[in-house]
């Protein structure tokens, strides 16, 4: 399954890098990171904002992904005990819907 990088415009996450519950956030972040040479005005640029929580923070990891059409998905990764596969599956599904809508518009 591939990520629809062309439809993603922003990524916001807050997680503790040491928490096992944060694994999906860390892995999705590693898949989304854009090169520093990419211009912010290019269509492939993804705005990434990460808040790193302290090691023993009671706050659970979460991430919000914004798409080019204005839709946002919020994943409460820690609260819902989500795996990386769950997050990637949902991102792929929404990305395919957005790509289909864009292709129908012409």
């Amino acid at each position: 399954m591939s990520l629809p990088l062309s439809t993603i415009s922003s990524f916001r996450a807050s997680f503790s890098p040491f928490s096992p519950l944060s694994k999906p956030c860390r892995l999705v972040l590693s898949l989304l990171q854009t090169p520093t040479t990419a211009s912010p005005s290019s269509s492939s640029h993804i705005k990434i904002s990460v808040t790193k929580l302290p090691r023993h923070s009671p706050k659970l990891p979460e991430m919000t992904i914004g798409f080019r059409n204005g839709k946002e998905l919020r994943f409460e990764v820690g609260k819902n005990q989500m795996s990386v596969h769950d997050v990637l599956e949902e991102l792929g599904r929404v990305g395919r819907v957005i790509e289909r809508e864009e292709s129908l518009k012409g």
Side-chain angles (χ1 to χ4, degrees), residues 30-100:
S30 70
L31 293 172
L32 292 180
Q33 287 192 350
T34 56
T36 56
T37 58
S39 169
S41 61
S42 76
S43 62
S44 63
H45 181 75
I46 299 172
K47 184 181 178 202
I48 297 174
S49 173
V50 177
T51 304
K52 293 182 182 173
L53 302 173
R55 183 182 291 256
H56 300 293
S57 174
K59 189 173 178 192
L60 295 173
E62 62 185 27
M63 64 180 135
T64 304
I65 298 173
F67 292 92
R68 302 245 182 252
N69 68 352
K71 184 174 182 169
E72 282 192 351
L73 283 180
R74 183 167 181 251
F75 295 104
E76 294 180 335
V77 178
K79 181 179 178 184
N80 297 331
Q81 301 286 320
M82 296 181 80
S83 69
V84 178
H85 178 66
D86 297 336
V87 173
L88 293 179
E89 186 177 301
E90 186 66 16
L91 284 177
R93 185 186 66 78
V94 172
R96 286 190 302 276
V97 168
I98 291 170
E99 287 173 346
R100 188 176 306 124

Side-chain angles (χ1 to χ4, degrees), residues 18-35:
F18 305 104
S19 170
L21 293 174
S22 299
K23 186 175 182 178
C25 295
R26 294 190 313 264
L27 292 175
V28 170
L29 176 62
S30 70
L31 293 172
L32 292 180
Q33 287 192 350
T34 56

